[in-house]
Amino acid sequence: MPHEHAGMAADLLPDAIITIGLDSNIQYANLAAERLFGFDRGSMVGCSLVDAIIPPEMAAQHERGMKQYMKSRTGPVIGRRIEVVARDRAGRRFPIELAIFPDPATEGRSIHAQIREVSDRVAREAEFRAEREQLAQFLDATTEGWWDCEIGGATRYADRLVALQTEMGREAASVEPPLLSWIDRDDALRVRDAWLAHLEGRTARYECTYRVRAADGETRWMRDRGRAVHFELGRPTRIVGTTSDVTEQQAAEEALANVKRLELLGLLAGGFAHDLNNLLTAIGGQADIASSEPSVAPAVLESLEAIRFATTKATMLTSNMLALGKPRESTVRRIALRPAIEDAMRLAAIGLNRAVRLVVDASAVDGFDVEVDPSALPQILLNLAVNARDAMPTGGTLRVEALPLEGRAATVAPHAVRIVVEDTGCGIPEAVLARVFEPFFTTKPKGVGTGLGLAVVRQSVTAARGRIAVESTVGRGTRFIIELPAFVSTAQAAQIKPSRSLRVVVAEDHALLCAMLTESLRAAGHDVVDAGDGALALAQATHGERIADVLVLDVYVPSIDGFRVHAEAELRTGRQIGAVFITGEPGVVLPPGTPEHCELLFKPFEIQSLLEAVARVGAAVAR
């Protein structure tokens, strides 16, 4: 009867109760055990514990434990609660909490096990551990530190902020807002206004981003977020919050903002570039034509040179905007280095202060070529010359020197050239020097500089597979060092001027520009036909006794585009016809398979560039 009462009591328990003998066979199982393991308890009795609920991989461990218990009546799990894995009749595995104790009535020959499934608890603990680990990782990775400011009293700082203050050469102080004593003076008033706005209840919380300066001049960006947590008479008496070091984030945001500004700039510049480039090409070309007339008065020549410089400066500004806003495919060509440097600096000299002495020494690179977009090198030198001019408002010396490099001295190619542009101006502070190539970054007064020039310089040098560096000393001047791959000159000057006059068909729908192109080509001795659109140009090029030698075609000339005019002309005549395609649109490239006797010329361009291009393609088809 007592055993029956014990069994009835065991059936009322929520935990599973199983009794085994020393042979590990099950002697008893309560109702909770039936429910937990899915067996009829009648069928469980007599079964081996290993066959019923112990996973196979744990069988050897169970047998070792039973042998130790039979030998000494003790074991590592006797009288303890442990967590192990069990399995049910369907093979499901689940975690259990297990308590094992010998039956004293049988002198330990029977062993009782109290079993409770703990799947929910284990899952919760795993979730908690994961969350705790995630929080630990977050706290380790975050740049935030807390502060607790009593208005009119002390300010307490987290260890992280104290360490930051020490690192920046500052001391923690009881100031309002926190860190105010070392906030950049340009930001201090804005931070103070944000703090007062929260104190006065005008904002729900205090939030501000600002710069702090270390004792050695290093600058970091910080972001505060805080909220009043205690009030007296309706006024905050205590504000708690966090301070984050957002230097990297601020740099990324600024870079992203610059990208967006450049995209907008490219769209705006692209919208007016076509018409502006046509006008600039026409103005510069007419100035060239006028200056080539005999017996031009020196004063007039000086005015024409000023027009050329102004046109070139406008061209440079437009090109800077287009180059950074919507970089076009570069038309790389091998050009003679010395003439390119001397021509660019001759033009730059017009815009220099009369008190600036210009020294150009490119004789050492006579006989060397570089492979660049023909418009890139003048643009690089003119941008650097304009910067040097602005750095020497009261005069000084601008020196441009070019030297060949070989062996270890050449870092960009086995053979290279180094171009040094050096001024004796005000110099660049060290804190600014690292940012001079960033788009939109400028230290010039508002309205004086765009902050695009040096960014374009670096982009152009990089596109030419070169490198650029800058050195500067405040009060002594600045030195830009450019290194470009170089090639021994192939002396192709004889091919630039063909021995015969060429029949040139011009198709340009801008009236002023078309007149300038026609006049300059005729002045160079060519037989020029002016065609108003693509269809007329095709007819003029392929009809009559003399077929055109060269076509000068605006890429987007009306009726038939320039590329199609040239291809159709060669198809109809069965012969090669040289072509100089001109365009003011960024992003235009020669179509795949375009023959070598075709060139692409971007507006605005100088007359000499056009004449040389016509001569080259004319000579190419004459061979």
Side-chain angles (χ1 to χ4, degrees):
M1 193 66 178
H3 290 293
E4 291 180 6
H5 286 300
M8 291 174 63
D11 284 340
L12 297 176
L13 294 175
D15 293 339
I17 303 294
I18 291 179
T19 303
I20 64 170
L22 297 179
D23 56 0
S24 291
N25 289 337
I26 297 174
Q27 297 175 342
Y28 171 79
N30 70 348
L31 286 175
E34 284 189 347
R35 292 191 296 268
L36 180 61
F37 294 106
F39 289 95
D40 175 82
R41 58 178 166 174
S43 63
M44 291 181 70
V45 174
C47 287
S48 169
L49 195 66
V50 172
D51 294 336
I53 65 173
I54 294 180
E57 65 272 15
M58 298 177 62
Q61 180 180 348
H62 171 74
E63 290 176 1
R64 287 195 300 271
M66 290 300 296
K67 288 179 180 178
Q68 180 178 347
Y69 174 76
M70 286 188 291
K71 183 177 180 181
S72 62
R73 289 294 191 270
T74 62
V77 298
I78 300 298
R80 297 177 51 214
R81 290 186 181 274
I82 62 172
E83 285 190 9
V84 293
V85 176
R87 64 186 174 97
D88 62 13
R89 185 177 183 182
R92 178 178 73 96
R93 294 168 183 263
F94 52 93
I96 60 170
E97 184 181 81
L98 175 66
I100 299 175
F101 48 92
D103 186 347
T106 62
E107 297 181 352
R109 290 191 297 276
S110 295
I111 302 172
H112 304 296
Q114 182 183 3
I115 303 169
R116 177 182 302 164
E117 182 177 358
V118 291
S119 296
D120 290 345
R121 191 189 74 193
V122 169
R124 287 194 303 271
E125 290 176 350
E127 184 178 356
F128 174 74
R129 285 194 298 272
E131 290 177 352
R132 186 172 58 185
E133 178 65 23
Q134 186 177 15
L135 178 61
Q137 292 174 357
F138 172 78
L139 292 175
D140 288 342
T142 186
T143 56
E144 293 189 353
W146 59 264
W147 45 262
D148 186 342
C149 179
E150 294 183 10
I151 306 303
T155 300
R156 295 187 300 124
Y157 296 94
D159 291 343
R160 183 182 295 274
L161 284 181
V162 174
L164 175 64
Q165 291 170 329
T166 302
E167 180 184 341
M168 299 285 281
R170 303 282 184 169
E171 292 183 4
S174 293
V175 293
E176 300 170 21
L179 309 186
L180 182 63
S181 58
W182 50 305
I183 293 175
D184 186 276
R185 61 184 180 184
D186 293 334
D187 297 337
L189 182 59
R190 179 169 51 81
V191 175
R192 186 68 177 167
D193 287 345
W195 181 262
L196 291 176
H198 184 55
L199 284 180
E200 295 167 2
R202 290 183 281 118
T203 57
R205 67 177 179 177
Y206 160 65
E207 183 170 355
C208 200
T209 301
Y210 53 85
R211 290 163 293 182
V212 296
R213 293 195 185 276
D216 63 358
E218 180 191 356
T219 299
R220 291 193 189 180
W221 282 93
M222 313 299 287
R223 179 172 296 154
D224 283 353
R225 289 188 176 94
R227 189 184 298 274
V229 296
H230 191 269
F231 300 82
E232 289 184 7
L233 301 177
R235 293 280 297 179
T237 59
R238 181 182 173 198
I239 298 178
V240 297
T242 60
T243 296
S244 308
D245 186 337
V246 293
T247 304
E248 294 183 4
Q249 179 182 343
Q250 192 72 15
E253 289 176 356
E254 185 175 340
L256 180 59
N258 281 341
V259 168
K260 292 180 178 179
R261 291 168 67 189
L262 288 173
E263 289 176 352
L264 178 59
L265 188 63
L267 290 174
L268 292 174
F272 67 76
H274 180 77
D275 289 338
L276 181 60
N277 286 334
N278 282 335
L279 291 170
L280 291 174
T281 305
I283 293 169
Q286 292 292 355
D288 286 340
I289 293 172
S291 62
S292 66
E293 293 292 328
S295 304
V296 180
V300 176
L301 281 176
E302 187 173 340
S303 295
L304 290 171
E305 285 297 308
I307 291 173
R308 287 189 63 213
F309 179 77
T311 305
T312 303
K313 181 69 183 296
T315 299
M316 185 179 71
L317 292 175
T318 306
S319 299
N320 286 350
M321 289 190 294
L322 288 172
L324 284 175
K326 189 178 180 181
R328 74 184 188 206
E329 294 287 339
S330 60
T331 305
V332 176
R333 185 159 50 81
R334 185 172 293 191
I335 63 171
L337 182 58
R338 180 179 180 180
I341 293 175
E342 292 177 346
D343 288 348
M345 299 316 299
R346 193 177 299 115
L347 187 58
I350 302 168
L352 294 178
N353 186 321
R354 293 184 183 276
V356 173
R357 185 170 72 97
L358 176 63
V359 179
V360 180
D361 184 3
S363 58
V365 294
D366 197 14
F368 285 89
D369 294 345
V370 289
E371 284 188 348
V372 295
D373 184 324
S375 65
L377 191 57
Q379 188 177 30
I380 291 169
L381 295 174
L382 285 171
N383 273 310
L384 293 178
V386 168
N387 264 16
R389 178 199 65 188
D390 295 340
M392 299 182 290
T394 59
T397 300
L398 172 59
R399 181 177 181 82
V400 180
E401 184 180 19
L403 297 169
L405 299 174
E406 291 188 6
R408 293 183 179 179
T411 62
V412 297
H415 299 281
V417 291
R418 176 181 294 158
I419 304 170
V420 178
V421 180
E422 185 173 12
D423 66 62
T424 57
C426 58
I428 304 172
E430 185 177 351
V432 174
L433 198 62
R435 301 189 62 192
V436 295
F437 294 115
E438 293 180 15
F440 300 109
F441 179 78
T442 179
T443 57
K444 297 177 183 177
K446 188 175 182 180
V448 176
T450 63
L452 297 177
L454 291 179
V456 171
V457 167
R458 182 173 64 174
Q459 180 174 287
S460 299
V461 170
T462 303
R465 296 179 292 116
R467 59 187 295 270
I468 184 169
V470 58
E471 302 169 352
S472 189
T473 303
V474 174
R476 297 184 60 182
T478 302
R479 190 169 184 253
F480 287 91
I481 306 102
I482 299 169
E483 187 176 336
L484 297 171
F487 308 86
V488 177
S489 176
T490 53
Q492 296 177 343
Q495 298 180 6
I496 293 179
K497 296 183 179 179
S499 58
R500 62 188 179 91
S501 173
L502 299 171
R503 185 170 190 262
V504 182
V505 175
V506 177
E508 166 60 60
D509 62 321
H510 192 281
L512 287 176
L513 181 54
C514 185
M516 186 277 291
L517 296 175
T518 302
E519 185 177 351
S520 60
L521 287 167
R522 283 177 180 156
H526 299 300
D527 175 17
V528 184
V529 177
D530 174 10
D533 61 22
L536 183 56
L538 180 59
Q540 294 283 1
T542 59
H543 182 69
E545 297 180 356
R546 190 175 177 193
I547 296 173
D549 299 303
V550 175
L551 301 175
V552 177
L553 305 167
D554 189 293
V555 171
Y556 297 113
V557 70
S559 71
I560 306 176
D561 71 72
F563 294 137
R564 288 177 56 202
V565 169
H566 176 256
E568 184 64 24
E570 287 196 329
L571 184 62
R572 290 186 184 183
T573 61
R575 53 172 284 187
Q576 291 183 337
I577 300 175
V580 178
F581 301 106
I582 58 177
T583 183
E585 300 290 337
V588 175
V589 294
L590 291 172
T594 300
E596 293 183 357
H597 51 271
C598 297
E599 292 192 14
L600 182 62
L601 197 60
F602 282 94
K603 304 171 187 175
F605 51 79
E606 297 184 2
I607 288 179
Q608 188 60 31
S609 299
L610 172 68
L611 297 180
E612 290 176 359
V614 168
R616 278 193 299 273
V617 299
V621 296
R623 289 198 295 268

